[in-house]
Amino acid sequence: MTIKVTKLHSHFAARVEGIDIATGVSDDDFNALRTAFEEYSVIVLPSQDLDDERQMEFSRRYGPLEMMAPHLANDSNPQHISRMHNEEPDGSLIPPDDDRMIYQSANMIWHTDSSFKPVPSLCSMLHARILPPEGGETEFACLRAAYDALDQGMKDFLDDKIAIHAFANTRRMVGGKLNDWQKKNLPPVRQAIIRSNPVNGRKALYTGGHAGEIEGMSKEDGAALLKELMGHITQDEFVYAHKWNDGDLTIWDNRAVLHRGRPWDGTKYKRILHRTTVAGDGPTA
Ligand code: OGA
Ligand code: MN
């Protein structure tokens, strides 16, 4: 098979056709896909027929999978699948004001997956299983274009800066606290603010909802600068909104984009997507 790459946004994101994971992806096609991933940061593979096993197997070609932390909305088994969903075991809808939905609403804050871990994720793969007829898009913001657009003074200032990322930051934003497991296992971590892609050298402005402070700055000044950077990153020019189709598998580079889920009417519609998360290969700072 030969793959066809169609750009989805002027700065990043591409749809890749000609890949059918269910029937097998040759090494050549996989390498072409991997090259497209390094270049475009967000890849949409339409019409993929996947169950959890197949999704995990394909994801592992990118590297080892992260384990999902135990939490109240994570009822998946095995532990390498993270379910974004509003479905009770009996098939009915989980009400939007249920604690499990409030827990998951943190996905609607701009973030990059696992930046609260000492080694943050390389990429995530999210597969659409059941979609609402409207709403529930996933938005992506290009951290490379955002970096490129900074003035030179800010680039120089940020060059060696380290941000402190903590899972507690995004929990707090949705009015939640850490459970005992999270308290013990997810202490704040240091992450470089500027990350270079190892293949093409492109620099990315690495921050997101988990980032709360900047080393060497006062709490207030660091938080204010992070807020300013988030406003810069998430302006329309740098954002691609993905409107899901049945069977889409979206692969995004957690080193180079932020993402967030968008609301939908959870009193009427189901939304179920399954995520695998590929681990990164080392600390950023
Ligand atoms: C995720 C996530 C957003 C969404 O799966 O990591 O943040 O649109 N999802 O469901
Ligand atoms: Mn996420």
Side-chain angles (χ1 to χ4, degrees):
M1 248 185 213
T2 44
I3 68 168
K4 181 175 160 222
V5 178
T6 311
K7 241 183 134 174
L8 295 169
H9 185 280
S10 59
H11 291 300
F12 70 138
R15 180 172 58 246
V16 174
E17 282 154 298
I19 297 263
D20 181 23
I21 296 169
T23 55
V25 181
S26 69
D27 286 341
D28 281 353
D29 279 353
F30 183 78
N31 290 337
L33 183 63
R34 180 70 202 230
T35 301
F37 164 80
E38 298 290 355
E39 177 153 352
Y40 297 107
S41 308
V42 176
I43 299 291
V44 178
L45 299 177
S47 307
Q48 299 301 319
D49 177 14
L50 300 178
D51 57 14
D52 289 348
E53 276 308 318
R54 207 176 266 160
Q55 183 171 342
M56 287 190 290
E57 188 190 325
F58 177 72
S59 303
R60 284 198 177 97
R61 289 177 79 169
Y62 278 76
L65 301 186
E66 288 191 358
M67 290 291 281
M68 296 309 145
H71 60 73
L72 76 136
N74 186 9
D75 52 4
S76 70
N77 185 29
Q79 294 287 300
H80 292 303
I81 296 284
S82 193
R83 292 185 78 212
M84 313 297 135
H85 76 104
N86 60 336
E87 184 184 53
E88 294 284 11
D90 70 4
S92 61
L93 290 171
I94 302 178
D97 60 357
D98 184 281
D99 281 350
R100 289 166 291 175
M101 296 321 296
I102 292 168
Y103 190 98
Q104 291 185 73
S105 69
N107 286 327
M108 296 185 186
I109 301 165
W110 285 109
H111 66 285
T112 169
D113 291 332
S114 305
S115 72
F116 53 83
K117 294 184 181 175
V119 175
S121 157
L122 168 67
C123 65
S124 297
M125 303 200 190
L126 192 59
H127 184 239
R129 304 284 172 98
I130 296 183
L131 296 169
E134 57 194 2
E137 298 85 1
T138 302
E139 290 184 340
F140 298 93
C142 181
L143 297 175
R144 293 177 183 169
Y147 173 81
D148 291 345
L150 293 174
D151 63 44
Q152 193 57 44
M154 184 58 90
K155 285 181 184 169
D156 293 342
F157 178 78
L158 292 174
D159 196 45
D160 56 357
K161 290 283 181 296
I162 306 286
I164 307 299
H165 290 235
F167 190 61
N169 291 337
T170 41
R171 281 297 102 214
R172 203 177 307 115
M173 290 181 212
V174 294
K177 292 203 175 79
L178 302 193
N179 66 28
D180 288 342
W181 187 94
Q182 290 162 341
K183 266 187 217 149
K184 181 159 170 275
N185 292 285
L186 301 176
V189 297
R190 307 168 72 233
Q191 305 291 7
I193 294 184
I194 307 301
R195 297 186 69 179
S196 298
N197 177 288
V199 176
N200 56 35
R202 293 284 309 272
K203 288 186 176 177
L205 180 52
Y206 188 70
T207 177
H210 304 302
E213 294 177 42
I214 297 178
E215 264 182 24
M217 296 180 79
S218 73
K219 261 192 167 159
E220 296 71 30
D221 289 354
L225 178 53
L226 288 171
K227 190 171 171 209
E228 184 187 322
L229 293 174
M230 287 298 286
H232 169 71
I233 290 165
T234 60
Q235 57 186 298
D236 289 350
E237 188 196 332
F238 304 137
V239 173
Y240 164 66
H242 184 60
K243 181 146 181 31
W244 291 92
N245 287 308
D246 284 336
D248 281 353
L249 178 73
T250 297
I251 308 173
W252 65 82
D253 186 340
N254 279 310
R255 305 166 302 181
V257 299
L258 299 184
H259 63 280
R260 67 170 178 178
R262 302 301 290 150
W264 77 100
D265 188 347
T267 65
K268 287 204 189 109
Y269 305 121
K270 265 183 211 173
R271 181 181 190 268
I272 306 181
L273 300 101
H274 285 201
R275 192 183 89 212
T276 37
T277 316
V278 180
D281 57 7
T284 65

